[in-house]
Amino acid sequence: MSGAQDHKRRQPPKMYLVLSNLKIQDQLEGTIRLLRGNLCQEQEGGRSRGDQLWVKVLDYGCMVKIDKQLLIEVPTDLTGLLEPVSDPESRLNLLINPKQLYRLAALPLGTPLYVQMGQPGELAEAELRYRGPLTRGSTAVLFGVQLKDSAVGRGNSNGSYKGHQLFTCPEASALFLPANQIRLRRWSRANDDHHNNALPPQPQPPIGNIIARTAESSPSLVPVLARNTSSPPPFQVGHRVCFPLEDTVHGGEVRFCGALPGRTSTGVFVGILLDNAVGNWDGSYKGEKLCSISSSLYGCLLPISKVSPEPRSRRHTPPLQNPKPVLKPTQPPAPVSSPASTPKIALMPPQLLSAKLALKPPPLPSPKPFTKPHPLPPTPPTIKPQTLHSPTATDQPQLLNGSPGPLSPGRGDGLDAEENGDAGLEVELEVGSMVEVNDPPLFGVIRWIGRIIGVSQLVSGIELDQELTAGTDGSYLGERHFRCPANKGLFVKLRNCRRDSRFPAPETPVNQVERCNSIAFAEWGSERVEEHTPPVQGDEARDMYQGWKRGIQGHLNSCYLDASLFSLFSCCSSVDWVLLWPSNPSDGPHCSQAQDLLRCEIVNPLRRFGYVCASKTMALRRLLEAESSDTGFTNQEKDPEEFLNKLFQLLRVEPLLKIRSVTQKQQPQECHLYQLFPPSVPLSPSSPVPLSPSLCPIPLSSPAVLMRVASVQTLLETSFLHAGLKFAEAPSCLPLLMPRFGKDFKMFDAILPSLTIDITDLLDDTLRQCSICQAVAEWECLECYDDLDITPGHLKQYCHTCNTQVHIHKKRQSHSPCQVGVAGGPWTGPLHGTRQRLALFAVTCIETSHYVSFVKHGPRPNDWLFFDSMADREGGENGFNIPQVRACPEVGRYLSLSAEELVRLDPASLRESARRLLCDSYMCLYHSPELSLYK
């Protein structure tokens, strides 16, 4: 008996997911909000407490007592797969479809996959290489994948995690992802969305007691259940929904569902056309039209978490998505006369026909004065409606309302000759189009397009601007097709509608990629220069580059390319060898074209005239797009590392960097850039060394506002040290990507770009000095790096004698020094103290997805230029960006500071240019002019 009880106690605790968003009042913690999908762990003794369980919410670490009916149990073999999923809603979506989880858990290594990375919906090809926990003792199961094709170089490791090699692949080609970011490659996109995003409407849980940790000792505490904020998948246009407002539940029809422009991180919002005049939204957001709302009193914009599908008990009329059969009128509706003979009239039941014929349109308000409209988005392609086959009394009308796509009719779709021959529909119309009918005109907005039995042509339901005696509330012959105020609904053949003449017709959108050519940009053009042109330096460079219309002109999200090219080539020649790299016929035509374009159309003109037109860089972007089959290079935002990797691959040049693992003595890995991955976030020192104000010309702050600061030298050393890496050979150019994780989280408040970095101790198979006696080093100890007693802040290597003495100390006896390899065997000759150093020549920075550059143009500390390819703009949508280069000598003062001084710098004292350089650095470029001569 006792053995069975012991076995039962050893069973892992049960895990649950929360089914509904909840709000709990706790005397100690205050308000505790639980999200549906939060992961909970059953606590000891919770199994025998009736209908309530004590659980620990793992996402927050709090303890609550909750009804079992508000939880869904997670099978033991699926807990590990759900644990690393950070989004609670995605976690619940996965559990709803357990077959999908079991399928992922059983995937064999080598399975081709799609993985989600970057923007939502962006998929990249990959191959499954590992599945399991990343650290010892962890139960979270992640998928280790190797990126393929165009995604190569966008990873964050070589298959290792915190020094443990889980699988082997090229550097920056591995990712470790949770289950919600994995897709089988053989799935279609539609199936992918269904399996991973579709979630049936949330059941309404009964309101039960939800007691916080101190509820039992506080009987007066009233448990609170938040409003049921079910989060179904995004609603479709036309769905009926409801939401609570004050003490009343209001209903309406979805007119918009999606992310707000410029605010994708805030989630999905729903725009609703209300049944009652209780709203305050006109269908726009920050000047951009999201949908058509006739009056702001009938519009409302809410987060999707506050909106629920309308229960059937609230629906007084059939839903739009599943209408009842149309009732036949007792007599056929009056025919609509030809537009050439009589004014267009509305479709209506016979009893209202006579009243309509005698009706005169109401007086119209005077039109508003004409103002130049904002450019409208491109009109979506139209969808041809389905033809109606032998309509009968039981047929349902073919409704086109209720879908987010375009709703306008196509031409030549089998309608009668009269409709196909009508020229009145000059521009395709859709739901939401502002139209006019009759003469004199009646103005309104199309709310519905579809078929009505007895009428062979498409019919539009219009909500009029003004009431009409013969109007309806959106119903026709007892069948509701849309909702609007009484006496404002009108049904008219679609062919008899025309665009509202009070507003100018939308302009045809211009293809900005095609527009960027030598003709459209003739006034902004730049010349071709065949002769090799070395970069200018010093005052000559400042005088040539400084001013407006200088540098590289930006166009259509090209700042990533403009900033990268200006940093590499404007004032530095260390990468010029890529312009002269010999090409082979087997490299393909794009290789030689790209090299000629880069050399003669971009780099040489930039160095001779100080300016390059956007049409030249667009030609290079076209070649990159053609070579990589990535349609985003000509019009989408990219990262500098993605561009440089693709450019060097297109030019078929040797990689800039060769890096080897010191633990695996394998062939060196080749790459063009290196991403710095420091092991942890350093805390600001609690008691920095006092500095004399006379030694620093910049005001220093008190210790209460210390910044987290790291230098590039320290970041490079710690990154190589903890990853066990060495340079196989000294690079002539070293692009380093800074540790950065979006604008909301930065690992450091500021990063100091070291003016020079010493890579001597990071080179493999080279002579190094002992850190203590300066003799030839034979041993290296990684554990000694953090030891402040021996050369603090530097890598530690020792000769044989010093290594023995250092590790006799009791606090270092557990260290494991490794032997330093020297090419050709042990060295017995004299040791010259020559150090291998690289100099900083450019920094690329990012702020709000826009890249700019700081470039060093001379030997003096204040010889710095700032470049922005889109500093200003001339014209509107079809205008031109104006690039600018300006001298920026003030940043030299900040770069001359040490990291300790920068820690004590008052952030409020930072000038704008210095703030962007220190706080928004993205990539630092270092070079060795001597080594570049050997390329």
Side-chain angles (χ1 to χ4, degrees), residues 482-743:
F482 66 97
R483 291 178 180 271
C484 71
N487 301 115
K488 282 195 172 185
L490 191 68
F491 290 86
V492 179
K493 286 185 180 180
L494 184 64
R495 64 187 293 272
N496 293 337
C497 299
R498 56 187 182 272
R499 285 204 176 270
D500 194 326
S501 60
R502 298 174 296 176
F503 303 96
E507 298 178 1
T508 303
V510 177
N511 187 323
Q512 294 296 334
V513 176
E514 299 297 333
R515 174 176 168 267
C516 190
N517 53 50
S518 57
I519 299 176
F521 281 68
E523 297 183 0
W524 296 80
S526 57
E527 300 182 23
R528 176 183 174 90
V529 177
E530 297 282 351
E531 301 82 10
H532 176 67
T533 306
V536 294
Q537 292 283 322
D539 294 340
E540 183 182 359
R542 183 194 61 209
D543 296 340
M544 181 183 71
Y545 284 120
Q546 189 171 224
W548 292 98
K549 196 182 175 183
R550 314 305 292 169
I552 302 175
Q553 184 185 26
H555 179 72
L556 204 61
N557 300 318
S558 69
C559 60
Y560 69 92
L561 178 143
D562 310 324
S564 301
L565 291 179
F566 191 85
S567 297
L568 282 173
F569 296 107
S570 60
C571 300
C572 178
S573 60
S574 292
V575 198
D576 280 11
W577 56 272
V578 304
L579 306 175
L580 307 171
W581 190 263
S583 60
N584 298 319
S586 59
D587 294 337
H590 292 159
C591 175
S592 57
Q593 292 175 19
Q595 189 182 63
D596 178 78
L597 181 63
L598 183 62
R599 181 179 66 251
C600 301
E601 301 279 5
I602 297 177
V603 176
N604 288 343
L606 177 65
R607 292 172 173 176
R608 176 165 296 187
F609 303 109
Y611 170 74
V612 174
C613 175
S615 61
K616 310 298 184 180
T617 54
M618 179 58 76
L620 179 61
R621 295 166 74 183
R622 289 175 182 268
L623 289 176
L624 290 169
E625 185 171 274
E627 181 72 12
S628 63
S629 301
D630 185 348
T631 58
F633 268 105
T634 56
N635 59 359
Q636 295 178 7
E637 296 178 354
K638 297 289 182 181
D639 295 324
E641 66 268 26
E642 185 177 1
F643 160 65
L644 293 178
N645 277 319
K646 292 296 182 184
L647 177 64
F648 291 147
Q649 291 171 14
L650 175 60
L651 297 176
R652 308 291 194 272
V653 296
E654 286 185 354
L656 296 175
L657 310 178
K658 295 182 179 180
I659 301 176
R660 176 185 292 122
S661 172
V662 295
T663 59
Q664 297 183 1
K665 290 301 178 180
Q666 55 187 4
Q667 288 297 320
Q669 300 289 328
E670 298 178 337
C671 56
H672 300 292
L673 309 95
Y674 180 75
Q675 171 70 65
L676 297 176
F677 286 104
S680 62
V681 180
L683 298 176
S684 298
S686 57
S687 56
V689 178
L691 297 174
S692 171
S694 62
L695 300 179
C696 179
I698 301 174
L700 300 178
S701 66
S702 64
V705 289
L706 295 179
M707 295 192 297
R708 296 172 301 170
V709 177
S711 66
V712 172
Q713 175 77 50
T714 302
L715 292 175
L716 179 62
E717 289 181 352
T718 55
S719 184
F720 265 57
L721 176 71
H722 290 271
L725 302 176
K726 295 288 184 181
F727 286 111
E729 61 181 41
S732 62
C733 180
L734 176 59
L736 296 174
L737 298 173
M738 300 299 103
R740 182 185 178 93
F741 301 92
K743 72 174 185 177

Side-chain angles (χ1 to χ4, degrees), residues 788-855:
L788 300 180
D789 296 335
I790 307 172
T791 59
H794 295 280
L795 297 173
K796 311 297 192 303
Q797 54 263 332
Y798 311 105
C799 64
H800 180 75
T801 303
C802 293
N803 179 64
T804 303
Q805 293 178 347
V806 164
H807 290 97
I808 289 176
H809 196 285
K810 60 180 180 180
K811 74 175 184 179
R812 304 188 192 99
Q813 289 178 355
S814 61
H815 292 188
S816 302
C818 57
Q819 197 162 8
V820 174
V822 178
W827 181 263
T828 57
L831 179 64
H832 302 286
T834 303
R835 309 292 294 181
Q836 184 66 58
R837 292 183 173 89
L838 303 179
L840 177 71
F841 71 91
V843 180
T844 301
C845 301
I846 182 174
E847 184 179 30
T848 61
S849 301
H850 180 61
Y851 293 95
V852 295
S853 295
F854 291 87
V855 176

